[in-house]
Amino acid sequence: GHYIMVQWSMQQEELTILNIYAPNTGAPRFIKQVLRDLQKDLDSYTIIVGDFDIPLSILDRSMRQKINKDIQDLNLALDQVDLTDIYRTLHSKAREHTFVSLPHGT
């Protein structure tokens, strides 16, 4: 996995865009580590985008995926740094995915 962080000013406000591309295995641990490493740089003007490669809620998962302890811990870490899933906030009941693999159940 990797991440890219871009910071700039717009209309006298400092903005930060953090793009996280998580690995196929160990995604929750990788994302939590990135959040820990960059915690001092995250504020109310931070937008995180990218491919977390994990379901954060039951609505985001396929039939075979489970919300396990690693994902629960990641959701707690996201709450601790006061991040909000904007898509899920705006579409609280939508069952949509950017990619679904039926043979793999992901």
Side-chain angles (χ1 to χ4, degrees), residues 26-29 32 54 67-76:
R29 288 185 302 280
K32 284 193 305 185
I54 52 167
I67 303 298
N68 62 25
K69 178 146 176 38
D70 282 341
I71 295 171
Q72 290 172 349
D73 288 347
L74 175 57
N75 277 313
L76 180 60

Side-chain angles (χ1 to χ4, degrees), residues 43-63:
D43 59 24
S44 61
Y45 295 101
T46 299
I47 300 170
I48 299 179
V49 297
D51 183 356
F52 279 22
D53 206 30
I54 52 167
L56 293 177
S57 76
I58 290 173
L59 288 175
D60 296 329
R61 69 178 177 81
S62 72
M63 294 302 224

